[in-house]
Amino acid sequence: GKELSKKDPNPFIVHNWREDVVTIGHAPAEMVSEATYGMVNEPWPAQLNKLVWEKRIKRNDVNNNENGNGNGLPPLVISVGQVVPHEVLGMANFN
């Protein structure tokens, strides 16, 4: 951690989950309903920190569709497994 914090540019960002996100799509209502046992039956937004999305777009400008996926954007791989944002669910500070 200490070595990473000394890197330039600093790889750590302060994330304001209420304002620093961009919606990149939606999970279909049917999928959300099944996952929530019918408690929620509406499309659910897929959101990322806007810095991640902007970096992806800038990378596309450099690559200029070299990957051949048709849309000009590099593949986006997201690890879903964390509870984010955990503050919303009351998990921060042992609440």
Side-chain angles (χ1 to χ4, degrees):
K2 289 180 183 179
E3 288 181 25
L4 281 175
S5 67
K6 294 176 185 175
K7 283 192 161 201
D8 187 30
N10 190 325
F12 298 104
I13 60 169
V14 176
H15 175 61
N16 180 344
W17 60 268
R18 290 187 175 163
E19 297 180 19
D20 292 347
V21 296
V22 61
T23 300
I24 63 168
H26 288 82
E30 300 80 21
M31 180 179 161
V32 175
S33 180
E34 183 179 334
T36 63
Y37 300 102
M39 292 187 286
V40 178
N41 191 18
E42 59 188 69
W44 198 263
Q47 298 175 319
L48 290 175
N49 182 288
K50 61 186 171 186
L51 292 176
V52 173
W53 193 247
E54 289 169 3
K55 184 169 183 155
R56 180 174 189 243
I57 299 302
K58 287 179 186 175
R59 183 174 160 204
N60 178 54
D61 292 342
V62 171
N63 289 343
N64 198 17
N65 200 21
E66 291 177 4
N67 65 354
N69 65 8
N71 66 8
L73 295 175
L76 180 64
V77 178
I78 301 173
S79 171
V80 179
Q82 303 77 20
V83 178
V84 180
H86 56 274
E87 296 90 346
V88 174
L89 300 176
M91 294 171 59
N93 299 322
F94 305 104
N95 289 335

